[in-house]
Amino acid sequence: SSGINAEWPLRPGEIKVTNCEAIIGTQETTASSTSDQIATLQSQLELTVEERDETIEQLGNVDTKVEVLTSELEETLEKLTVTNDLLEQAQSDTEAWTVRGQILSLELFG
């Protein structure tokens, strides 16, 4: 049995301790890596929240611009309606004057 001990410098209990230490080292490395990944994800989340807030602010600005443009468009449509009414009135007046001119022409030269 002393020859076996010479071939195996570590006893079974020592092998278990060495294995446990290796496992603990691996777990510590994994925990550290996981912690780094969590920190990275937290940082990305903070950036995402900032971007979301900026996007919400930009959408608010766009909404305000849309409201202003809609109001301007409504005013323009009202002006076009008034202009159209005036043009129709002018056309009607022109037709009336044309008829009057024809009547007068018939009376004078008829």
Side-chain angles (χ1 to χ4, degrees):
S1 74
S2 65
I4 294 176
N5 285 340
E7 291 177 28
W8 297 89
L10 297 175
R11 293 186 198 136
E14 291 174 328
I15 291 173
K16 287 180 184 177
V17 168
T18 302
N19 287 343
C20 287
E21 288 172 349
I23 291 169
I24 289 170
T26 301
Q27 288 175 340
E28 286 173 347
T29 302
T30 302
S32 175
S33 174
T34 301
S35 178
D36 291 345
Q37 290 174 352
I38 289 171
T40 300
L41 289 172
Q42 284 175 331
S43 176
Q44 290 173 347
L45 179 60
E46 288 172 7
L47 288 175
T48 301
V49 168
E50 286 177 19
E51 290 171 351
R52 182 207 62 193
D53 291 344
E54 289 175 8
T55 301
I56 288 171
E57 184 178 338
Q58 290 171 354
L59 285 173
N61 292 338
V62 168
D63 190 43
T64 301
K65 289 177 184 176
V66 167
E67 287 176 9
V68 168
L69 289 172
T70 300
S71 176
E72 289 175 358
L73 180 60
E74 288 171 352
E75 289 175 11
T76 302
L77 287 174
E78 286 175 19
K79 289 177 184 176
L80 284 172
T81 300
V82 169
T83 302
N84 190 48
D85 290 347
L86 291 173
L87 284 172
E88 287 177 359
Q89 182 64 43
Q91 183 178 0
S92 175
D93 290 350
T94 301
E95 289 171 357
W97 281 109
T98 301
V99 170
R100 288 182 188 135
Q102 290 171 347
I103 292 170
L104 184 58
S105 176
L106 284 173
E107 288 177 356
L108 292 176
F109 305 108

